Amino acid sequence: MENFASAFLAAFELIVGFDPELVEIVGLSLQVSLTAVLCAGVIGLPIGAALGVARFPGRQAVIVVLNALMGLPPVVAGLMIYLLLSRAGPLGELGLLFTPTAMVIAQTVLVTPIVAALTRQTVEDLHAEYAEQFRSLSVGPVRATATLLWDGRYSLFTGLLAGFGRAIAEVGAVIIVGGNINHVTRVMTTTIALETSKGNLELALGLGIILIALAVLVNAAVMSLRGLSAQATV
Amino acid sequence: MRHATAQQPIRRPQEAASIRPATVQALTFQAGGQTLLDGLDLALDRTSTTVIMGPNGAGKSLLLRLLHGLLTPSSGAVRWNGRAPDRAVRRRQAMVFQKPVLLRRSVLGNVTYALKVQGVARGARRTRAQAALADAGLAALARRPARVLSGGEQQRLALARAWATRPEVLFLDEPTANLDPAGAHVVERMVAEIKDRGTKIVLTTHDLGQARRLGDEVVFLHRGRLVERSPAQSFFDQPQSEQARAFLSGDLVL
Amino acid sequence: MTLFKRLGFVLGAVALAVVAQPIDRAQAQDDRYIIVQSTTSTEASGLFEHLLPKFERMTGIDVRVVAVGTGQAIRNARNGDGDVLFVHHTPSEYKFIADGHGKRRFDVMYNDFVIVGPKDDPAGIAGLDSVTKALTKIAKSGAPFASRGDDSGTHKKELGLWAQTDVNPRQASGNWYRETGSGMGATLNTAVQMGAYTMSDRATWLNFGNKKNFEILVEGDPRLFNQYGVMVLNPEKHPHVKEGMAQAFVDWLVSQDGQQAIANYRLKGQQAFFPNAD
């Protein structure tokens, strides 16, 4: 228990001291993960919506694969992106390996299935309710999809939040494609891994506490939005 | 329609031929190996209110959906002035479901959405929607999320939304089934006003009183067949068929 | 506008502002950076944090260190993912050059490996001069030994030492010989928890913060010598290599300035690395 006490103390000191390195690391973590979630939204929302509305042969198989990909191990995603971005790989020319951009790509790969799968579920449920009304109003498929996405926006927000949680918390992918380079690709989770390997367990745990606090903060913010708008979602 | 009548007579300048009257020929619908509607022949005139009645499972809602083109018949045909109920025809109709399907947005947003789908210009949507809400007595609730309204208010909103698009034909599936008498009364008054503005009403109901109050003619279904079709007055006073008599006296359950 | 909408706008604006920042600051500075594939021991010991600012101040070149095991660093470099290789397993380094991946290799510095273990020393190896004798005693006693097991420089070194004994530790894998498959720090954490002996480079051990009741038991055997080498990747094989900047870094490391900077680095009051460039 002593460890925990000193971990909290370490976290407290880091926050109160407004340690510039910590600010940089937290900032990069947020930036990489938020950008990844944004990209995953741009890719995953339309895919999920299309899967929720359209009926085509093989759709069930696509859904099964998508749901399975939600559990894609970050290390595997990282490895795939590494092989893709390595100088010896097909996209090596871009020189993106060991940059924050590579981390965004890897996290986008991790988050997109979550966003797409949850979007599919939300849109499909909503579509079951709206389908007759849409047909009655002669709403075309594109507008119907847009309507479903808008009306499902609070649930979809939760999906994006789940994606953000996965992105901000994972270490396996970013450490491979980012390289944990000081001041360049070092984020909260890779710092925690590094401090743990240095045996600085209190500091590592302190960083972990800050990470959790950050996640709680983001979730609370989004939930308060949902709460304030709960009437509209009934 | 208190406010709208003076300002907004029904205008459909863009529409060429009316979609009324309608004919139904040998209409059959099968699902899961069962014949749910069996060879219906029917003609619906331009303006009178048609009440579809019958015990549970008679096929009332099904007929409504086939008329509106929500379902495709297994055989036979529905023709609106010669045209199948495709998208263009459906656009000139509207339907209110037993459990109203309201979008997760404001009361006003629900109405403007329908107008937007119909291609009403942005500027006109709001005015028209607000007029329709005023007619439905919902003006004060325009900003509320639609899905927190009471059952009666929701039904009125669905009706206002349908009416805002100025349909030539309005389908109502058990419009007051879940409402208390006061709520039902308001809805009936709205339906009567919409009819007075020249819209053809087709509704299903279990409520004999409602059928009497609103109906010009009654189409009586039993086990997927058309058993009787009469002017409302004579249907209630002198039902022709055995089943209708039993139904009216409360003996016919299925 | 409702409170909800207002809050939403504020949050959205903040999120967008965060996302819209240029994500890679140094990339904006005209690619004035090189990537060094190096080992955990140099990074975890804090050496780079001591050295790099000096070089960066002087040249304006940003040095980005990817710290992984020597084996992985070499593999990354073979793929061309980097400009400089800075590791500690000389035979592998020469192989790397022989295969055409690297230019000339330079000795940079050395330190040594140590055998650490619990203070109560169940195998009784404390103070032995011979590391092979110590390893043999550990094997005989059946006391746990934590191996990196990750193809790192330290791991290769350890296997090389076992090869000089009569023991084949791989046969005891999962028994008393435990391969963590992790970096030095993680392996030390594991060893401390299991009460297992392990071999560490001195710098990582000095900087390790979770020693508990562990201490250095065997040191000073010449066979525990730990040489670091550095080289620029061969631009003929890997055309994107920033040869000029990379060579500048290597040249600085082996220059008098660089060597002095290495010598000056102190970990807990002790010199961690000893410069030995020609």
Side-chain angles (χ1 to χ4, degrees):
Chain A
M1 282 304 102
E2 216 172 287
N3 285 346
F4 279 98
S6 40
F8 274 103
L9 196 66
F12 185 73
E13 279 171 358
L14 281 171
I15 295 169
V16 171
F18 212 68
D19 184 70
E21 284 209 25
L22 178 74
V23 172
E24 183 185 60
I25 288 168
V26 170
L28 185 65
S29 276
L30 284 175
Q31 195 179 0
V32 166
S33 295
L34 283 173
T35 309
V37 169
L38 192 76
C39 296
V42 169
I43 303 166
L45 285 173
I47 292 178
L51 277 174
V53 174
R55 296 290 178 274
F56 55 90
R59 172 177 177 271
Q60 208 55 43
V62 174
I63 290 172
V64 167
V65 170
L66 200 60
N67 287 340
L69 281 182
M70 286 203 286
L72 181 71
V75 183
V76 175
L79 206 53
M80 281 174 359
I81 301 303
Y82 171 86
L83 292 174
L84 217 57
L85 295 182
S86 165
R87 290 286 180 181
L91 299 180
E93 278 308 303
L94 301 177
L96 287 177
L97 196 63
F98 307 130
T99 65
T101 308
M103 299 158 80
V104 170
I105 294 172
Q107 292 197 342
T108 301
V109 168
L110 283 177
V111 174
T112 301
I114 295 182
V115 174
L118 295 180
T119 302
R120 198 273 306 166
Q121 189 67 55
T122 301
V123 166
E124 193 173 324
D125 292 348
L126 212 51
H127 189 236
E129 185 188 335
Y130 285 6
E132 273 202 317
Q133 185 69 58
F134 280 155
R135 197 163 158 77
S136 174
L137 288 170
S138 291
V139 177
V142 173
R143 172 167 283 156
T145 306
T147 304
L148 292 168
L149 284 175
W150 177 252
D151 277 31
R153 57 197 178 276
Y154 300 108
S155 304
L156 298 180
F157 227 37
T158 310
L160 289 174
L161 207 59
F164 176 75
R166 177 149 158 100
I168 195 91
E170 72 86 21
V171 62
V174 286
I175 207 162
I176 293 177
V177 302
N180 191 23
I181 299 169
N182 206 1
H183 304 303
V184 181
T185 58
R186 186 160 295 171
V187 291
M188 299 214 68
T189 52
T190 60
T191 309
I192 292 170
L194 179 65
E195 291 306 330
T196 304
S197 80
K198 285 184 184 172
N200 297 332
L201 302 191
E202 280 86 0
L203 182 58
L205 195 53
L207 286 165
I209 290 167
I210 293 173
L211 182 67
I212 293 168
L214 213 63
V216 168
L217 220 64
V218 171
N219 274 278
V222 172
M223 282 308 160
S224 74
L225 290 192
R226 287 204 55 167
L228 284 167
S229 62
Q231 323 105 282
T233 75
V234 182
Chain B
M1 309 252 123
R2 298 181 299 277
H3 313 279
T5 321
Q7 309 155 358
Q8 290 195 314
I10 301 179
R11 279 177 290 119
R12 299 189 192 89
Q14 76 278 20
E15 292 164 13
S18 170
I19 58 166
R20 296 172 293 187
T23 55
V24 171
Q25 288 158 356
L27 185 66
T28 299
F29 188 85
Q30 290 158 324
Q34 281 189 306
T35 301
L36 302 174
L37 274 185
D38 193 359
L40 249 65
D41 290 302
L42 192 64
L44 296 175
D45 71 8
R46 300 173 61 90
T47 54
S48 58
T49 296
T50 303
V51 180
I52 303 171
M53 300 200 78
N56 287 331
K60 304 186 295 290
S61 296
L62 197 54
L63 177 56
L64 221 51
R65 281 169 169 76
L66 286 160
L67 287 171
H68 189 27
L70 298 184
L71 296 171
T72 310
S74 306
S75 66
V78 173
R79 288 291 176 268
W80 291 92
N81 198 12
R83 299 163 65 184
D86 58 8
R87 281 181 64 147
V89 168
R90 279 203 301 278
R91 289 223 158 167
R92 292 155 71 174
Q93 307 174 335
M95 179 156 175
V96 174
F97 297 91
Q98 181 172 356
K99 185 177 183 308
V101 181
L102 296 180
L103 304 177
R104 286 155 175 77
R105 32 192 102 190
S106 72
V107 167
L108 184 66
N110 264 274
V111 184
T112 50
Y113 179 84
L115 294 173
K116 188 174 164 191
V117 172
Q118 292 261 326
V120 175
R122 179 181 284 273
R125 278 180 223 153
R126 214 184 157 79
T127 335
R128 268 176 74 171
Q130 275 165 341
L133 289 178
D135 291 345
L138 294 172
L141 304 177
R143 297 244 153 252
R144 290 271 187 89
R147 297 171 66 90
V148 301
L149 298 185
S150 73
E153 288 163 345
Q154 291 201 11
Q155 197 61 270
R156 271 149 62 200
L157 172 55
L159 208 51
R161 181 174 64 188
W163 168 240
T165 65
R166 297 296 182 269
E168 288 185 55
V169 183
L170 176 61
F171 300 100
L172 303 165
D173 192 4
E174 303 278 0
T176 59
N178 302 319
L179 303 187
D180 60 27
H185 177 72
V186 180
V187 167
E188 279 184 21
R189 208 193 63 221
M190 282 181 71
V191 172
E193 286 174 5
I194 292 171
K195 174 203 158 64
D196 290 345
R197 305 281 308 276
T199 295
K200 163 88 182 173
I201 310 270
V202 183
L203 82 149
T204 68
T205 186
H206 276 110
D207 182 341
L208 300 181
Q210 182 171 73
R212 272 182 209 273
R213 288 188 293 276
L214 295 178
D216 296 316
E217 62 169 352
V218 172
V219 169
F220 184 74
L221 302 181
H222 184 231
R223 291 186 180 163
R225 289 174 185 276
L226 195 158
V227 175
E228 179 171 347
R229 172 171 187 197
S230 322
Q233 197 63 46
S234 64
F235 177 81
F236 289 110
D237 295 346
Q238 301 156 320
Q240 300 297 304
S241 62
E242 193 65 38
Q243 292 97 325
R245 272 196 292 279
F247 178 72
L248 289 173
S249 62
D251 294 339
L252 184 62
V253 181
L254 260 182
Chain C
M1 198 157 59
T2 61
L3 176 61
F4 154 61
K5 276 191 178 160
R6 220 171 289 169
L7 249 173
F9 275 118
V10 169
L11 271 183
V14 169
L16 276 180
V18 169
V19 169
Q21 298 291 317
I23 199 159
D24 194 341
R25 285 156 294 116
Q27 202 129 45
Q29 297 164 18
D30 199 21
D31 277 4
R32 290 283 291 170
Y33 72 89
I34 54 171
I35 290 177
V36 177
Q37 287 289 345
S38 190
T39 74
T40 49
S41 53
T42 44
E43 170 88 1
S45 65
L47 175 67
F48 278 129
E49 273 180 71
H50 168 77
L51 287 183
L52 298 185
K54 297 185 202 307
F55 176 72
E56 287 163 4
R57 243 196 328 273
M58 203 173 67
T59 61
I61 298 170
D62 187 21
V63 180
R64 302 182 175 182
V65 179
V66 177
V68 289
T70 292
Q72 197 189 335
I74 290 177
R75 268 196 302 280
N76 286 347
R78 278 177 184 273
N79 286 336
D81 297 320
D83 303 289
V84 172
L85 181 66
F86 188 164
V87 290
H88 64 141
H89 192 249
T90 311
S92 305
E93 293 160 34
Y94 279 122
K95 173 124 192 343
F96 182 79
I97 288 172
D99 291 346
H101 290 288
K103 292 179 64 181
R104 191 177 152 206
R105 175 191 175 283
F106 298 87
D107 279 338
V108 182
M109 61 191 189
Y110 69 91
N111 63 2
D112 61 343
F113 292 106
V114 293
I115 306 288
V116 300
K119 204 173 276 181
D120 59 0
D121 189 18
I125 63 166
L128 287 176
D129 297 333
S130 161
V131 62
T132 47
K133 207 176 273 178
L135 290 177
T136 308
K137 280 192 88 171
I138 291 171
K140 289 263 160 57
S141 74
F145 181 92
S147 166
R148 291 279 294 276
D150 64 348
D151 195 32
S152 59
T154 306
H155 184 220
K156 290 170 198 271
K157 179 80 180 185
E158 177 218 312
L159 292 178
L161 293 172
W162 283 113
Q164 296 172 41
T165 69
D166 297 331
V167 182
N168 180 358
R170 292 264 162 113
Q171 283 176 344
S173 179
N175 188 3
W176 59 265
Y177 188 70
R178 297 172 187 177
E179 291 150 296
T180 64
S182 310
M184 194 67 252
T187 303
L188 281 170
N189 277 325
T190 311
V192 166
Q193 284 308 311
M194 293 192 307
Y197 295 95
T198 191
M199 188 178 95
S200 170
D201 64 281
R202 187 181 291 273
T204 303
W205 171 253
L206 283 175
N207 203 29
F208 186 65
N210 187 31
K211 294 190 177 82
K212 295 273 167 63
N213 64 335
F214 266 48
E215 55 186 30
I216 295 175
L217 299 172
V218 176
E219 60 187 326
D221 186 324
R223 286 173 293 186
L224 287 169
F225 185 70
N226 180 25
Q227 177 68 46
Y228 287 84
V230 69
M231 68 214 71
V232 176
L233 267 64
N234 187 354
E236 283 165 32
K237 194 110 179 174
H238 305 293
H240 62 273
V241 167
K242 297 166 185 161
E243 190 182 4
M245 286 188 281
Q247 195 63 57
F249 179 59
V250 171
D251 289 348
W252 179 78
L253 280 177
V254 300
S255 74
Q256 208 163 8
D257 276 1
Q259 295 278 296
Q260 192 58 51
I262 292 169
N264 287 345
Y265 182 55
R266 289 287 182 283
L267 252 179
K268 321 267 161 163
Q270 296 188 44
Q271 184 169 352
F273 297 97
F274 300 86
N276 69 341
D278 298 331

